[in-house]
Amino acid sequence: MKNIFKILCCSLLVVSFSCQESDNTIDDVLAYETGAILRTISVDSQLLNASDANSLFSVTIEEQDEEDGALLQEVRVLVELRDLTTEFTTPATGEVLVQTIPASEFSTGPVGLPRTQVNMAFGDAAAALGIPLDPETGYNPGDIFIIKLELVLTDGRVFGASSAAGIITGGYFSSPFQYNALLTCSPMSGDYTINMFDVYGDGWQTTSGGDGGEGLTIDMDGVITSVAMCSQWGSYDFECTPTNDGFEATAYVTIPEGTESAIWNFPGDYYGEISVQIIAPNGVIAYESETGGTITGLLPIAVCQQ
């Protein structure tokens, strides 16, 4: 009888303890044990080339459900346009279905869960959206394609970005169900004119260990060219363009024919005194910052090869 009483008391203690509320992260994780996730293993490509219908957005994912993948039926791939064109506003597209990946196209990954690579071609996404390459009514280089994944289980349940809570979108689970792909284009080949200005008349400084970097950089298919206006206060690891008065200088960068991508970047330094104007081979101003304005990070330069 004593033993039975002891067991009963222990059971009550266990029940009493388990009913207490807890703020532990593990409790939040366990709350999703009857759900399912698409874990991001790697994002392999986030650039879509508007000049190449076969350019791919690519991400490797791993599915996990309460039966370790046995409930996987299919994954739907949807796309939505985020219009970043400044002069016009393309009507909202909403999300549209591009393709469906059945469970049969998944293979068993290193931890015993279904794994696959999702590849979405730019041409397929544009066709699904049903809009043209046009700044007024469609997409344009510099816009964003939002790729959304929906996980469909054999019992009819569907999980996607709207059902993913913060506990699974980051960290170990890394299951956002949603990604951004930047729309680029094959750049116009030829000589680009870079007019550089400095309102203090001391050129572009590059501060060691600071945010000045090495001036303007152009990444052409992985080959990086750097451009800057020489300053008596700076040091450079490349041949910069000298100036007589310190206020302005002009350099030229040639983009070879057949180049697939050109990414322009300015890390920034002494933001208020530096500005730049970039003129494409066809005479169009591809980018121009205000005098004394701030330029930093990726520059929205997209002059496409015709």
Side-chain angles (χ1 to χ4, degrees):
M1 183 71 178
K2 284 184 176 181
N3 290 334
I4 295 175
F5 182 76
K6 288 180 180 180
I7 293 173
L8 179 60
C9 286
C10 289
S11 299
L12 289 173
L13 285 173
V14 170
V15 171
S16 175
F17 176 77
S18 64
C19 289
Q20 293 178 354
E21 291 187 6
S22 171
D23 293 327
N24 294 333
T25 301
I26 187 62
D27 296 317
D28 293 329
V29 174
L30 290 175
Y32 290 90
E33 63 181 356
T34 58
I37 62 172
L38 292 175
R39 182 179 294 109
T40 302
I41 301 302
S42 62
V43 178
D44 307 309
S45 173
Q46 285 185 279
L47 293 179
L48 292 173
N49 191 332
S51 303
D52 181 5
N54 295 318
S55 62
L56 295 175
F57 164 82
S58 183
V59 60
T60 300
I61 59 172
E62 182 178 75
E63 193 270 351
Q64 185 173 4
D65 54 53
E66 60 200 83
E67 295 186 15
D68 292 331
L71 295 179
L72 170 62
Q73 176 174 308
E74 63 184 22
V75 170
R76 299 169 184 161
V77 182
L78 305 100
V79 66
E80 180 178 354
L81 172 68
R82 177 175 295 169
D83 180 19
L84 298 182
T85 304
T86 55
E87 295 184 26
F88 306 99
T89 301
T90 300
T93 63
E95 54 188 47
V96 296
L97 179 66
V98 179
Q99 60 180 321
T100 298
I101 304 173
S104 59
E105 293 188 17
F106 283 71
S107 58
T108 303
V111 295
L113 296 173
R115 184 177 291 196
T116 194
Q117 186 177 58
V118 177
N119 294 315
M120 185 199 73
F122 164 71
D124 294 337
L129 288 169
I131 54 179
L133 174 62
D134 182 85
E136 293 189 53
T137 60
Y139 55 84
N140 211 45
D143 290 340
I144 296 292
F145 277 19
I146 305 173
I147 292 87
K148 301 180 181 181
L149 305 181
E150 286 185 349
L151 169 59
V152 182
L153 301 184
T154 55
D155 59 13
R157 288 179 294 166
V158 178
F159 296 90
S162 60
S163 59
I167 190 64
I168 65 171
T169 57
Y172 168 74
F173 289 102
S174 188
S175 182
F177 290 92
Q178 181 171 304
Y179 310 87
N180 289 337
L182 175 64
L183 186 59
T184 64
C185 65
S186 296
M188 177 177 290
S189 59
D191 295 331
Y192 287 71
T193 302
I194 303 173
N195 296 317
M196 299 171 285
F197 309 94
D198 185 280
V199 296
Y200 282 132
D202 56 359
W204 289 5
Q205 296 101 45
T206 56
T207 53
S208 177
D211 55 6
E214 289 293 332
L216 180 69
T217 63
I218 306 94
D219 183 343
M220 293 174 278
D221 293 344
V223 178
I224 297 178
T225 296
S226 298
V227 176
M229 179 168 58
C230 288
S231 166
Q232 62 269 39
W233 307 111
S235 60
Y236 306 84
D237 295 331
F238 57 93
E239 184 177 349
C240 64
T241 303
T243 176
N244 292 326
D245 58 10
F247 287 96
E248 60 183 71
T250 298
Y252 302 92
V253 170
T254 301
I255 295 183
E257 187 174 349
T259 300
E260 294 185 3
S261 69
I263 302 173
W264 299 70
N265 183 72
F266 191 88
D269 191 12
Y270 293 93
Y271 307 131
E273 55 183 271
I274 291 176
S275 59
V276 66
Q277 180 191 65
I278 300 172
I279 302 175
N282 60 357
V284 171
I285 297 177
Y287 177 81
E288 185 172 34
S289 60
E290 297 180 0
T291 302
T294 300
I295 54 172
T296 182
L298 293 176
L299 302 183
I301 298 174
V303 181
C304 303
Q305 184 71 47
Q306 299 300 318

